[in-house]
Amino acid sequence: MRSAAVPSPKASGNRSARSAVKVYDHIYDRIAGGGFAKGERLPTEFELAKSFGVSRTVVREALVRLRDEGLIQSRRGAGSFVTATPDQAIRRFAPVASIGDIQRCYEFRIHLETAACTLAAIRCTKDELSELRAKLRATENIDDVTAGVEADLDFHIAVTKASHNRFFVDALVSLRSGLIVGMELVRRLSLSRPDDALALMYQEHQAIYDAIASGDPDGAGAAMRYHLEAARKRFFEES
């Protein structure tokens, strides 16, 4: 008589991780769509686990990610509360369903471009530095959304090229269509706000260039990470 197959710990762990992603996606989309308003308390871990048919461990994993991204905050004895919601203007510019993917694209870019920028500070040649300076200048004072996004993306691609690792370049170029959607949103939001967000974006680019030009790999990586984290945060209301 054949015994039933026992799932391996690795397979079980993979299923748990996938379940956590599904719970995360659902809650994220509810927040993005206004189903959970800023300041509102989320259902309890028990209620969420029952609703999704998963363990409370899976629910906790999803909530940890939401906390790490600044979307919710846990209060001892009170539960988890929504602390940030996507800017209302986003809903005028893109389908709500796309916001989660844009958020995850920025998550990927932070790791990818921070590494590339670190290497660029070590490997950038004089010619590449001159090219990077030209790309930087091209991003200044552009009110046109399409032209601004193209100039912005050209600067980021120039940074990855200066890393002298074609895989960084290939990865960024392959994401071009997705990057443009997110960058257009950030730029439109920046233009709709009273503070000079476009000037801040340029200053962040300038800091990246200065660190590369100084041959400071740690500073360059930190400047790129700060810039992309700031861009991601521009999706959310600060107040």
Side-chain angles (χ1 to χ4, degrees), residues 16-95:
S16 177
R18 288 195 295 270
S19 295
V21 169
K22 288 180 180 179
V23 175
Y24 163 86
D25 284 343
H26 178 85
I27 298 175
Y28 186 100
D29 289 342
R30 285 286 303 276
I31 293 173
F36 292 133
K38 189 173 181 179
E40 183 177 346
R41 184 175 69 84
L42 297 180
T44 65
E45 288 182 4
F46 175 80
E47 290 169 337
L48 289 170
K50 184 177 180 180
S51 174
F52 290 104
V54 298
S55 69
R56 293 178 69 176
T57 300
V58 167
V59 171
R60 288 191 195 104
E61 187 176 339
L63 294 179
V64 165
R65 183 174 175 186
L66 290 163
R67 281 198 297 271
D68 289 345
E69 294 181 354
L71 295 177
I72 66 172
Q73 183 180 66
S74 295
R75 302 173 191 167
R76 181 170 294 182
S80 297
F81 294 80
V82 178
T83 53
T85 58
D87 193 297
Q88 295 298 313
I90 289 177
R91 297 173 198 169
R92 299 198 301 270
F93 303 139

Side-chain angles (χ1 to χ4, degrees), residues 117-199:
C117 196
T118 299
L119 290 176
I122 299 171
R123 301 173 178 174
C124 190
T125 66
K126 288 183 178 180
D127 287 342
E128 287 168 338
L129 193 59
S130 296
E131 176 72 10
L132 193 57
R133 186 186 305 113
K135 299 295 185 185
L136 169 68
R137 298 291 178 255
T139 67
E140 190 174 15
N141 297 324
I142 300 180
D143 291 335
D144 181 79
V145 171
T146 300
V149 167
E150 288 293 335
D152 193 340
L153 188 53
D154 284 347
F155 174 78
H156 282 267
I157 290 175
V159 171
T160 60
K161 286 181 177 178
S163 74
H164 290 219
N165 186 323
R166 70 178 181 85
F167 292 102
F168 284 124
V169 182
D170 291 346
L172 202 61
V173 171
S174 70
L175 291 170
R176 188 179 186 91
S177 60
L179 294 178
I180 287 174
V181 172
M183 293 167 80
E184 282 184 349
L185 279 170
V186 169
R187 192 162 286 269
R188 289 182 187 278
L189 289 169
S190 297
L191 288 170
S192 71
R193 289 171 176 167
D195 58 328
D196 200 351
L198 289 181

Side-chain angles (χ1 to χ4, degrees), residues 208-223:
I208 292 168
Y209 169 82
D210 289 344
I212 293 174
S214 299
D216 178 5
D218 291 338

